[in-house]
Amino acid sequence: MEFKLDVHTHTIASGHAYATVTEMVKAASERGLELIGITEHAKGIPGTCDSMYFHNMKIIPRKMYGVEVMMGAEINILDYDGTLSLDEKIIDKTLDIRIAGIHDPCYTVGTIAQNTQALVKAIENPQVDIISHPDDSRIPVDYETIVDAAKENHTLLEINNSSLDCLSSRVGAWDNLQVMLRFCEDKKVPVIANTDSHFADAVGVFDHVSVLLEEMNFPEELVVNRSVDLLKEQIQKHRTIRKIGKQRCSS
Ligand SMILES: [Zn+2]
Ligand SMILES: [Zn+2]
C-alpha cells in the first residue's frame, strides 16, 4: 500500500536523534509523503527538550517542501492511571498531534492488568490521539482489551516500523503486533503505521510494516496512512467524542 503520512518522528531536540526539523521534512518530501509529524519526547527521557520547546513551536511553518507539517510530542505514560508527562495546557495549546507511550525510564512495569489499565486510561484521554509502540513483551498487555478501548474512543494504535527492526530494543513486536492486528481486523478498528524515525533516512520507510501487513493480508482500508483526510477525521472524532462525554459528566 501507499503510505501518505508518517507522524511519529524525532529530531535532535529529543536528545538521542540526529537530524533537524528541516532535514526531516525535506526527507518526507523526497519520499513523497503528504504529511509528517515531528513528535519530540516529552520530559522524562534523558536529554530531551523542555516545555519551552513545545511553547515556541508555533513559529515553525506548517508546510515546507510541499509537505504538511504537524508539530507534536510523544508523551510518556507515567503510571497505571495513565498520567501523562506533559502539562494539559501545553498539550491543548501547542501540539497539533499527540502521541503517548510507555518508556522504560519513566514507568514501572506492572502486571498485565496494570499495564493494560495504563494504556486504556491513555486511550480514553481526549488529549491522546495515538498510542505509540504497544508491542513490547517487556511491558505485556491484554490486546483484546486495548483494541476494544481504541474502538470505543477512536484512538489510534500504532504499528511501529522501528519496533520491527532487528536493531530495536523492544522485544516480540512481530508476534505482539500480529495478535493486536488480528483483533483490529476482526473488530474493524483503524490503525496507524509510523516509522518513529530518529534520523532523516528512515522517514517514510515502512519496509517492515509492509511485510507484516502483507503477510497477514491485513485490510488496507483499516490503515489510516492511505489518506491525510482519514487521519484528520479519526483525530477529530476522538477529540470530539470525549469532549462531549466530559461536558455531559460535568453538567
Ligand atoms: Zn517511544
Ligand atoms: Zn518515538
Side-chain angles (χ1 to χ4, degrees):
M1 69 166 283
E2 207 185 334
F3 295 84
K4 304 258 174 76
L5 55 99
D6 180 6
V7 297
H8 178 177
T9 70
H10 301 269
T11 77
I12 44 171
S14 276
H16 60 276
Y18 308 94
T20 64
V21 170
T22 309
E23 288 164 347
M24 297 296 273
V25 180
K26 210 170 171 189
S29 173
E30 285 162 6
R31 289 267 167 212
L33 293 185
E34 293 176 11
L35 167 69
I36 183 171
I38 308 277
T39 51
E40 311 301 355
H41 286 288
K43 63 184 173 192
I45 304 294
T48 196
C49 48
D50 196 51
S51 304
M52 182 56 95
Y53 178 92
F54 298 107
H55 272 298
N56 204 32
M57 290 194 309
K58 54 185 178 288
I59 66 164
I60 294 175
R62 295 315 200 251
K63 191 136 197 176
M64 287 187 267
Y65 305 103
V67 177
E68 186 176 348
V69 179
M70 281 184 171
M71 296 303 297
E74 187 185 15
I75 308 162
N76 303 302
I77 298 169
L78 297 174
D79 55 33
Y80 313 138
D81 291 325
T83 307
L84 300 180
S85 70
L86 197 61
D87 188 77
E88 275 187 26
K89 277 187 196 148
I90 298 178
I91 297 175
D92 269 346
K93 283 192 180 157
T94 70
L95 306 184
D96 304 328
I97 186 119
R98 301 94 181 250
I99 301 178
I102 292 176
H103 297 97
D104 272 347
C106 25
Y107 180 84
T108 305
V109 176
T111 61
I112 291 182
Q114 286 169 323
N115 300 330
T116 302
Q117 184 185 305
L119 286 194
V120 167
K121 293 283 183 191
I123 287 168
E124 290 173 347
N125 188 333
Q127 294 196 306
V128 176
D129 303 319
I130 298 168
I131 299 293
S132 55
H133 44 72
D135 56 24
D136 190 343
S137 295
R138 295 172 307 169
I139 308 158
V141 295
D142 181 282
Y143 283 103
E144 186 164 20
T145 304
I146 282 165
V147 170
D148 284 341
K151 182 179 176 114
E152 195 182 324
N153 293 280
H154 304 289
T155 312
L156 289 163
L157 299 172
E158 181 184 74
I159 318 166
N160 186 298
N161 197 72
S162 295
S163 296
L164 296 168
D165 195 280
C166 53
L167 292 174
S168 177
S169 53
R170 295 177 205 123
V171 177
W174 282 92
D175 293 341
N176 293 330
L177 285 171
Q178 284 189 40
V179 173
M180 183 183 93
L181 289 171
R182 278 291 171 239
F183 284 121
C184 290
E185 184 178 357
D186 291 349
K187 296 166 190 279
K188 301 197 168 30
V189 181
V191 291
I192 187 165
N194 286 313
T195 62
D196 199 359
S197 299
H198 284 61
F199 195 57
D201 68 336
V203 172
V205 178
F206 291 97
D207 48 355
H208 305 305
V209 171
S210 297
V211 171
L212 177 67
L213 294 178
E214 270 165 39
E215 268 182 17
M216 292 188 67
N217 203 16
F218 189 79
E220 219 173 272
E221 61 267 24
L222 289 178
V223 184
V224 298
N225 299 71
R226 64 199 171 86
S227 151
V228 171
D229 286 344
L230 209 60
L231 170 69
K232 289 181 178 173
E233 276 167 29
Q234 183 76 12
I235 290 175
Q236 198 51 40
K237 253 194 237 173
H238 166 68
R239 292 185 189 173
T240 322
I241 201 176
R242 300 305 299 179
K243 255 189 201 150
I244 292 167
K246 233 183 174 180
Q247 277 162 2
R248 273 198 202 126
C249 294
S250 57
S251 62

